[in-house]
Amino acid sequence: MRYDIEIPPTADGALEVTVVSWIKAVGDPVSKGQDLAEATTEKITLYVTAPAEGTLSEIIVAAGSKVKVGTVIGVLEGA
Amino acid sequence: MMAAEKQTGYWLDLGLTQYAPAFAIQEQILQARLDGQLAPTVILQENLPILTIGRSGSRDNILSSPENLEQLGIEVLEVNRGGDVTYHGPGQLIVSPLLYLGDIGLNANQYLHRLEDVLIELLACYDIHAGKKEGHPGVWREEAKIAAVGIAVKHGYTFHGFSLNLNPDLEAFNLINPCGVRQMPVTSIRQVLGQSPPMAQIKTRLREILHKNFALETRTAIWSDLARNLKR
């Protein structure tokens, strides 16, 4: 099963965050809840975590890009 | 509407400490919170002189040379809170509420601004009229920043928090572009009032205000006791 990896909701309105870094690489096995990426607004760091156990199969939004909260930034292939 | 259920938690004052070991404690507490092992915990500390660079930050905002910083005995560390470069040192109170956003009914952005409200209320106890500035997080006394905010959120659990200047060495902020802003004035309670109330009194008032704002009741804890319970 494929899971979308989204920037978690932080705010009312269309808050923009910057994907700072990917902690995991494509092909890495991950367990549910593990940190996958870090995103930040000016004063808030948000951890994007694995929605399920599986393998990080795709990075859609590269580190350094600005996206809105809720944007799908990667895909996880469930175990 | 029913009032939010009151949470009970811990008040953990680490006192004057180096940043790194104190942050290691914060990380252990966060993990215990994520594992459902520990109630909400408010961590307080004062740090020995250090410049920390948050996730939106850059070393370019440190104006002093590494040699000069070494001579001054000021460490530099990259950390995982939001925000840019800031200075921490004695006379500045750093507070990290480790709460769950679901418990307090706020999203991350609202929580960040609630921390500013807490600081404004605390400063008002001392007749300091401080406020927010649109687009410039933190708490401001006229054009100068008196408290900085910078948080991180994992699975809805908060860490990091804010720092309030009581009577730190304000000269140290000249070593950096605070929060990445060139020549941003920074002030302190002492600079505004001519003297700062005792740190212990500020902490007591802050505790009451945090309790009220987050429907929280904390009891004083020491780290060795909390750590012992976590290992069980």
Side-chain angles (χ1 to χ4, degrees):
Chain A
M1 184 176 168
R2 280 165 56 98
Y3 295 88
D4 288 341
I5 300 165
E6 289 179 11
I7 301 283
T10 60
D12 24 51
L15 193 75
E16 259 196 345
V17 300
T18 303
V19 178
V20 181
S21 65
W22 278 90
I23 297 162
K24 295 288 175 187
V26 169
D28 281 354
V30 296
S31 51
K32 187 175 178 182
Q34 215 170 6
D35 299 337
L36 301 178
E38 244 186 73
T40 186
T41 69
E42 196 187 348
K43 293 291 182 184
I44 306 171
T45 299
L46 295 171
Y47 284 84
V48 182
T49 53
E53 187 186 347
T55 306
L56 180 59
S57 56
E58 194 183 345
I59 287 178
I60 297 171
V61 177
S65 310
K66 274 194 173 181
V67 293
K68 295 227 164 102
V69 162
T71 302
V72 175
I73 61 167
V75 177
L76 184 138
E77 201 62 51
Chain B
M1 208 172 80
M2 269 176 61
E5 201 178 323
K6 200 171 240 187
Q7 298 267 308
T8 54
Y10 298 104
W11 184 261
L12 178 63
D13 190 346
L14 301 176
L16 180 63
T17 170
Q18 279 186 310
Y19 184 95
F23 187 62
I25 289 174
Q26 185 170 176
E27 281 192 308
Q28 284 182 66
I29 291 176
L30 174 68
Q31 192 55 52
R33 298 271 300 133
L34 289 165
D35 295 342
Q37 278 189 41
L38 191 68
T41 302
V42 180
I43 305 172
L44 298 96
Q45 61 186 300
E46 262 179 283
N47 284 158
L48 294 165
I50 188 169
L51 301 178
T52 63
I53 308 171
R55 283 299 190 244
S56 327
S58 151
R59 284 195 181 244
D60 295 345
N61 286 320
I62 297 179
L63 307 174
S64 187
S65 68
E67 295 75 26
N68 189 37
L69 291 174
E70 204 183 316
Q71 216 166 25
L72 293 168
I74 299 180
E75 277 184 274
V76 178
L77 197 65
E78 287 182 20
V79 298
N80 58 359
R81 63 169 166 76
D84 205 298
V85 177
T86 197
Y87 165 78
H88 299 302
Q92 182 193 62
L93 176 62
I94 303 175
V95 180
S96 307
L98 276 74
L99 309 176
Y100 179 59
L101 292 175
D103 287 339
I104 56 177
L106 301 174
N107 64 39
N109 209 29
Q110 290 166 333
Y111 169 66
L112 185 83
H113 293 304
R114 182 65 69 85
L115 291 181
E116 293 169 334
D117 293 336
V118 163
L119 285 157
I120 290 166
E121 191 176 338
L122 175 65
L123 289 165
C125 296
Y126 297 98
D127 290 327
I128 297 177
H129 300 287
K132 303 181 201 185
K133 245 184 173 182
E134 182 71 39
H136 299 278
V139 175
W140 302 76
R141 157 77 182 174
E142 294 168 353
E143 290 307 305
K145 194 184 261 194
I146 194 162
V149 290
I151 64 163
V153 181
K154 192 179 280 198
H155 289 283
Y157 288 86
T158 65
F159 56 115
H160 291 294
F162 61 80
S163 59
L164 170 66
N165 297 330
L166 276 71
N167 54 359
D169 174 15
L170 292 178
E171 292 286 315
F173 288 94
N174 294 333
L175 302 169
I176 57 173
N177 290 325
C179 305
V181 181
R182 197 168 298 169
Q183 294 180 335
M184 185 187 72
V186 175
T187 191
S188 65
I189 294 179
R190 182 186 184 174
Q191 195 172 59
V192 176
L193 298 180
Q195 59 173 4
S196 175
M199 179 71 89
Q201 188 195 97
I202 298 240
K203 286 173 180 171
T204 303
R205 291 208 162 160
L206 173 68
R207 191 173 185 170
E208 289 162 9
I209 296 168
L210 281 173
H211 282 180
K212 190 181 68 182
N213 271 275
F214 298 118
L216 192 65
E217 186 67 46
T218 60
R219 62 185 179 87
T220 304
I222 57 171
W223 171 235
S224 55
D225 287 348
L226 289 184
R228 203 174 309 123
N229 287 331
L230 296 182
K231 281 178 193 143
R232 273 191 199 141

